[in-house]
């Protein structure tokens, strides 16, 4: 009844060409006062990247070989060892031996390698096919080979016998048919990198790499790698183009890396130490992934910063606050009592490690760490602006002492860096309170809030940030998601995101989490993009994030959209991008019935009547999967906008309307 009365007062709907546009009788609406606006963060919507669910190795990182450096170990999975995912093969009645060695590795960081001794290469008349002694690797559930495309093989090898050894390198389908082939001769008594490229004459989705010694001899092998020539932006040691492109399409303003819990690690020895992840891949330190598998660090800090630059996103590295995850050792089962702290006598060195990251990213090529960046191929600075210290750590006295040390050191040496503190894993509670208190005492510029909760929570807590103090510590909503990847989850998140925009003067950054999940390799159920080796399935949540991030603004207008404020299923925002002048409306209806919102753009001098309208709608339980990846996708149309109009929001929908003002 109330809403009907309001509607009568507001407007008399008149249908023109479609159900959506209803011009408003001008005498019933006053010009909108554009002074009723505020500046908001230009970096509000970004991405959270963590190597969880095989997001990096086996995912975004385009390396095709699994366990390329023979570093898999039972401490990662009890059934793993250095030969996991490798098969020793002796086709054609050949014989020899294989062993895993550690006595003379390429680099101490990468201790295991294999020694193959091809004693006899079979030459039986009745045998059809390749004979030899070697190894086979089927990657992460198969290597995708596409007809006509090029694959770049590389491997380190050392001749151990008197004679050089000839190796054939091939890609084979599951019947052993050769899709691509090349050969190399191992003729160096020292470790040497050998490369060759393979062009596929036929395609196959679950191929394997086969390396066979076809002449007798003994040799060592390590860091055996296969990359498709086509990586994102054709970068060497690059990224899978389809997955990277999905991220680029979102136009995220920043990318957080490397996590999540991966950053602070499962015990002190498992922390993500950035220096271990730069430089030649064969010298990087591989380690156990906190999510129960293996990290090659092939997608390390350099590749991450390069990717940020490639897609125009700011880097946002999160470094451990010198304490490990409180759940280390599986202690989440007994209340998260597993936090370990770097001893105080090592803290000066650790603090320097944090400072060195800033120098590596931003320092001149003449600086120690800037020179390493330049040597890797990037003399220009990366313009690092944000650094996170800690990830949802338990706020203990040990944490506080170490955080303070790191914070003070970075603040003193790099006042230009925005340091982001941490306030626990929940939207409230002990760590949240203590983390905020610490941030207030130290005047930390920003803190990282995390919450994974129900769609109803997101709908019911849209005023959360309305009362946050404006001129004190600001907020990075670093991890959030509603439990699920159905449309209703995504629309609840969309409603919440309009509240983030409304509070974009205090919430400066936000990122949905986690980002990627490889089918059958997941540790976390609700994710933004599902994929397998061939296909991708962006969730409705992805589309919501994309619609917001690629239509963000830096000025917020509080009085352009009017709606029935008593209707808690409705949410809306209006922003302007000061660079383009475009005005963007985001209209959300979480309800079961269509609802009208009233738009008043009369305060803008000029608007272009041909606007872009993107709508995401469908049934509440609709979701995408790898078989039907297009169940829920946004639909784009031209929208005839007037200075004042009414918009009929479909049930369960997010609509973005982008209007040019220049
Ligand atoms: O996003 C998945 C995990 O959730 C992150 O690693 C951690 O920070 C949070 O608990």
């Amino acid at each position: 009844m109330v809403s009907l009365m309001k509607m009568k007062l507001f407007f008399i709907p008149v249908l023109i060409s479609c159900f959506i546009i209803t011009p408003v009788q001008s005498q019933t609406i006053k010009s909108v006062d554009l002074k009723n606006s505020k500046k908001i963060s230009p970096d509000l919507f970004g991405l959270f990247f963590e190597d969880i669910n095989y997001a990096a190795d086996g995912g975004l990182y385009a390396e095709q070989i699994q366990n390329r450096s023979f570093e898999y170990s039972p401490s990662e999975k009890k059934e793993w060892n250095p030969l996991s995912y490798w098969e020793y093969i002796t086709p054609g009645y050949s014989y020899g031996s294989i062993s895993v060695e550690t006595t003379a590795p390429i680099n101490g960081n990468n201790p295991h390698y294999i020694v193959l001794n091809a004693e006899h290469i079979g030459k039986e008349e009745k045998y059809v096919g390749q004979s030899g002694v070697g190894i086979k690797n089927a990657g992460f559930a198969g290597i995708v080979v596409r007809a006509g495309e090029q694959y770049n093989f590389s491997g380190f090898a050392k001749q151990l016998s008197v004679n050089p050894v000839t190796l054939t390198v091939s890609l084979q389908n599951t019947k052993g048919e050769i899709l691509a082939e090349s050969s190399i001769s191992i003729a160096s008594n020292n470790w040497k990198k050998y490369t060759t490229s393979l062009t596929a004459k036929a395609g196959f989705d679950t191929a394997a790499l086969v390396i066979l010694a076809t002449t007798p001899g003994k040799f060592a092998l390590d860091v055996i790698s296969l990359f498709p020539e086509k990586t994102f932006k054709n970068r060497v040691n690059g990224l899978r183009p389809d997955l990277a492109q999905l991220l680029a399409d979102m136009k995220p303003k920043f990318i957080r890396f490397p996590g999540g819990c991966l950053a602070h690690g499962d015990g002190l020895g498992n922390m993500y130490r950035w220096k271990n992840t730069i430089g030649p891949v064969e010298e990087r330190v591989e380690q156990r992934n906190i999510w129960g598998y293996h990290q090659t660090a092939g997608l390390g800090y350099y590749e991450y910063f390069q990717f940020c630059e490639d897609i125009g996103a700011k880097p946002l590295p999160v470094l451990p606050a010198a304490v490990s995850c409180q759940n280390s050792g599986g202690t989440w089962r007994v209340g998260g009592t597993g936090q370990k702290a770097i001893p105080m006598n090592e803290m000066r060195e650790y603090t320097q490690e944090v400072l060195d990251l800033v120098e590596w990213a931003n320092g001149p090529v003449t600086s120690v760490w800037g020179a390493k960046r330049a040597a890797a191929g990037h003399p220009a600075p990366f313009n690092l602006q944000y650094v996170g210290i800690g990830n949802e750590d338990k706020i203990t006295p040990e944490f506080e002492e170490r955080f303070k040390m790191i914070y003070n050191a970075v603040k003193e040496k790099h006042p230009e860096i925005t340091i982001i503190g941490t306030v626990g894993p929940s939207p409230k509670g002990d760590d949240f309170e203590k983390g905020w208190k610490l941030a207030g005492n130290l005047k930390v510029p920003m803190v990282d809030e995390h919450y994974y909760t129900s769609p109803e929570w997101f709908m019911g807590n849209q005023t959360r940030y309305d009362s946050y103090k404006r001129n004190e510590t600001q907020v990075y909503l670093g991890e959030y998601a509603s439990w699920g990847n159905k449309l209703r989850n995504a629309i609840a998140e969309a409603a919440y995101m309009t509240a983030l925009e409304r509070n974009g003067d205090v919430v400066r950054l936000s990122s949905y989490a986690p980002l990627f999940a490889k089918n059958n390799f997941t540790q976390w159920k609700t994710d933004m993009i599902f994929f397998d080796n061939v296909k991708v399935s962006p969730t409705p949540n992805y589309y919501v994030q994309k619609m917001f991030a690629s239509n963000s603004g830096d000025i917020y207008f509080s009085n352009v959209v009017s709606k029935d404020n008593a209707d808690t299923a409705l949410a809306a925002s209006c922003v302007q991008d000061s660079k383009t002048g475009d005005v963007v409306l985001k209209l959300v209806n979480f309800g079961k019935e269509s609802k009208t919102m009233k738009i008043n753009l009369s305060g803008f001098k000029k608007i272009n009547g041909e606007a872009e309208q993107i709508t995401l709608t469908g049934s509440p339980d609709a979701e995408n999967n790898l078989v039907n990846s297009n169940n829920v996708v946004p639909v784009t149309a031209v929208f005839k906008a007037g200075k004042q109009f009414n918009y009929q929001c479909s049930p369960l929908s997010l609509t973005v309307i982008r209007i040019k003002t220049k």
Side-chain angles (χ1 to χ4, degrees):
M1 187 62 183
V2 174
S3 64
L4 259 180
M5 273 175 60
K6 272 189 185 160
M7 278 172 70
K8 258 194 186 166
L9 281 175
F10 280 161
F11 56 83
I12 304 163
V14 182
L15 287 178
I16 302 186
S17 54
C18 71
F19 290 105
I20 298 169
I21 317 169
T22 54
V24 177
Q25 288 186 347
S26 57
Q27 69 272 23
T28 62
I29 287 184
K30 287 185 198 149
S31 249
V32 67
D33 177 9
L34 290 187
K35 284 197 202 86
N36 212 336
S37 67
K38 61 180 171 184
K39 281 192 177 167
I40 59 168
S41 167
D43 293 338
L44 187 52
F45 302 115
L47 294 175
F48 163 98
F49 182 89
E50 176 171 26
D51 191 1
I52 182 173
N53 307 317
Y54 282 70
D57 289 300
L60 184 62
Y61 184 46
E63 173 62 84
Q64 294 299 298
I65 303 304
Q66 181 160 205
N67 191 13
R68 69 178 175 195
S69 296
F70 306 101
E71 298 300 333
Y72 276 24
S73 92
S75 55
E76 297 166 319
K77 274 189 200 287
K78 57 177 183 295
E79 65 276 20
W80 278 5
N81 63 62
L83 286 178
S84 292
Y85 299 94
W86 290 99
E87 189 187 338
Y88 171 60
I89 52 171
T90 55
Y93 306 96
S94 312
Y95 54 83
S97 64
I98 184 170
S99 57
V100 177
E101 310 270 337
T102 53
T103 43
I106 307 169
N107 186 288
N109 288 343
N110 182 0
H112 298 90
Y113 59 95
I114 59 161
V115 170
L116 280 166
N117 188 5
E119 287 177 46
H120 170 73
I121 310 300
K123 291 189 183 61
E124 307 307 313
E125 267 178 30
K126 286 188 183 158
Y127 179 75
V128 186
Q130 275 185 330
S131 297
V133 172
I135 48 172
K136 181 175 172 178
N137 187 297
F140 296 87
I143 295 173
V144 179
V145 174
R146 296 198 170 96
E149 295 197 358
Q150 191 182 310
Y151 296 84
N152 297 328
F153 168 89
S154 67
F156 282 77
K158 182 160 62 164
Q159 177 192 332
L160 300 174
S161 51
V162 179
N163 296 330
V165 185
T166 301
L167 301 187
T168 65
V169 177
S170 63
L171 289 167
Q172 302 188 1
N173 65 18
T174 37
K175 286 187 191 154
E177 291 161 347
I178 292 180
L179 309 166
E181 189 175 28
S182 184
S183 69
I184 52 178
S185 174
I186 309 303
S188 164
N189 297 121
N190 295 313
W191 283 111
K192 181 180 162 193
K193 186 172 181 178
Y194 293 85
T195 60
T196 186
S197 80
L198 305 161
T199 302
K201 56 187 181 206
F204 199 73
D205 284 349
T206 52
L209 175 81
V210 173
I211 303 169
L212 277 184
T214 53
T215 60
K218 192 173 176 185
F219 58 99
L221 282 179
D222 202 1
V223 197
I224 297 167
S225 168
L226 183 83
F227 272 85
E229 170 73 6
K230 283 189 189 162
T231 56
F232 186 68
K233 302 238 180 232
N234 296 323
R235 297 264 172 226
V236 175
N237 195 40
L239 308 182
R240 197 175 127 173
D242 55 347
L243 294 177
Q245 192 58 51
L246 279 173
L247 306 187
D249 291 345
M250 297 175 81
K251 301 196 172 61
K253 299 297 178 288
F254 66 89
I255 307 178
R256 173 193 181 128
F257 179 93
C261 292
L262 192 93
H264 54 184
D266 189 18
L268 287 183
N270 191 242
M271 274 179 180
Y272 197 99
R273 309 294 286 260
W274 75 269
K275 289 184 182 176
N276 290 341
T277 74
I278 58 166
V281 290
E282 65 276 12
E283 291 175 15
R284 297 185 187 179
V285 180
E286 306 201 4
Q287 68 171 3
R288 178 167 59 91
N289 181 311
I290 193 170
W291 296 105
Y293 55 107
H294 182 91
Q295 298 172 69
T296 62
L299 195 181
Y301 259 71
Y302 183 79
E303 292 71 23
Y304 154 59
F305 271 71
Q306 182 62 69
F307 180 54
C308 287
E309 185 176 271
D310 282 346
I311 69 168
K314 294 179 182 175
L316 194 168
V318 174
L319 301 172
V323 295
S324 73
C325 182
Q326 56 270 27
N327 296 318
S328 294
T331 52
W332 51 269
R333 297 182 195 90
V334 290
T337 50
Q339 184 185 79
K340 293 278 181 297
I342 290 183
M344 282 311 283
N345 62 5
E346 293 172 25
M347 276 305 293
R348 185 195 286 261
E349 203 184 329
Y350 183 75
T351 303
Q352 188 58 45
E353 183 175 322
V354 177
L355 296 173
D356 289 344
L357 176 67
V358 183
E359 183 175 292
W360 177 82
N362 292 351
V365 294
T366 47
S367 63
V368 174
W369 288 96
K372 290 187 200 289
R373 181 194 68 238
H378 202 286
F382 277 121
N383 300 320
L384 177 64
Q385 182 183 329
Y386 299 112
V387 173
I389 304 294
N391 172 68
E392 62 177 47
D393 299 289
K394 198 164 186 56
I395 313 294
T396 57
E398 291 75 17
F399 165 87
E400 291 200 15
E401 191 178 14
R402 285 154 184 80
F403 177 85
K404 201 170 157 184
M405 250 180 111
I406 302 165
Y407 171 72
N408 285 337
V410 178
K411 192 174 129 189
E412 193 189 315
K413 185 140 191 220
H414 294 289
E416 75 284 6
I417 295 288
T418 302
I419 303 167
I420 305 171
T422 183
V423 293
S426 314
K428 58 182 184 181
D430 200 35
D431 293 323
F432 184 83
E433 300 295 335
K434 286 183 181 159
W436 266 102
K437 192 167 171 219
L438 178 69
N441 291 343
L442 297 179
K443 297 197 177 359
V444 178
M446 213 184 281
V447 292
D448 178 16
E449 294 193 355
H450 292 182
Y451 32 90
Y452 297 92
T453 178
S454 65
E456 289 69 30
W457 186 94
F458 282 94
M459 290 310 298
N461 282 275
Q462 288 182 43
T463 55
R464 176 182 177 88
Y465 295 112
D466 293 354
S467 55
Y468 270 45
K469 292 193 182 120
R470 268 28 204 181
N471 295 318
E472 296 181 10
T473 298
Q474 300 188 307
V475 177
Y476 166 31
L477 175 52
E479 293 185 28
Y480 73 98
S482 74
W483 292 319
N485 289 123
K486 296 183 190 303
L487 182 66
R488 68 186 306 273
N489 298 94
I491 299 299
E493 287 154 11
Y496 200 74
M497 289 168 83
T498 65
L500 298 183
E501 282 193 322
R502 183 175 70 245
N503 287 288
D505 51 337
V506 64
V507 182
R508 308 298 296 180
L509 310 164
S510 67
S511 45
Y512 178 99
L515 180 53
F516 282 123
K518 184 166 188 162
N519 202 31
N520 298 328
F521 291 81
T522 52
Q523 297 84 44
W524 194 275
K525 225 174 153 196
T526 297
D527 305 287
M528 204 206 285
I529 299 169
F530 289 82
F531 66 95
D532 62 17
N533 285 342
V534 182
K535 299 185 292 295
V536 296
S537 172
T539 58
N541 318 64
Y542 165 85
Y543 289 116
V544 164
Q545 292 293 324
K546 180 180 172 187
M547 286 163 75
F548 273 77
S550 60
N551 289 291
S552 59
D554 53 352
I555 308 170
Y556 180 85
F557 296 96
S558 58
N559 56 350
V560 168
V561 186
S562 312
K563 58 182 177 56
D564 177 0
N565 288 335
D567 189 338
T568 52
L570 300 180
S573 64
C574 173
V575 296
Q576 184 172 33
D577 175 359
S578 60
K579 281 198 192 116
T580 60
D582 292 1
V583 172
V584 182
L585 305 168
K586 300 188 183 90
L587 313 174
V588 183
N589 180 5
F590 189 67
K592 290 185 179 144
E593 284 151 27
S594 86
K595 291 283 165 64
T596 305
M597 293 193 197
K598 186 179 68 172
I599 317 300
N600 184 355
L601 297 164
S602 55
F604 293 95
K605 253 192 209 145
K606 188 182 146 198
I607 63 150
N608 185 332
E610 295 265 296
E612 182 187 51
Q613 171 195 290
I614 313 166
T615 311
L616 186 72
T617 186
S619 62
D621 289 338
E623 55 189 339
N624 295 330
N625 55 50
L626 288 165
V627 180
N628 292 310
S629 57
N630 288 332
N631 281 336
V632 193
V633 289
V635 175
T636 303
V638 173
F639 179 78
K640 301 274 180 211
K643 282 219 166 170
Q644 297 172 8
F645 60 90
N646 298 326
Y647 190 86
Q648 197 75 18
C649 300
S650 304
L652 203 69
S653 66
L654 161 65
T655 306
V656 172
I657 300 176
R658 189 176 188 102
I659 303 156
K660 296 211 170 303
T661 63
K662 284 185 184 166

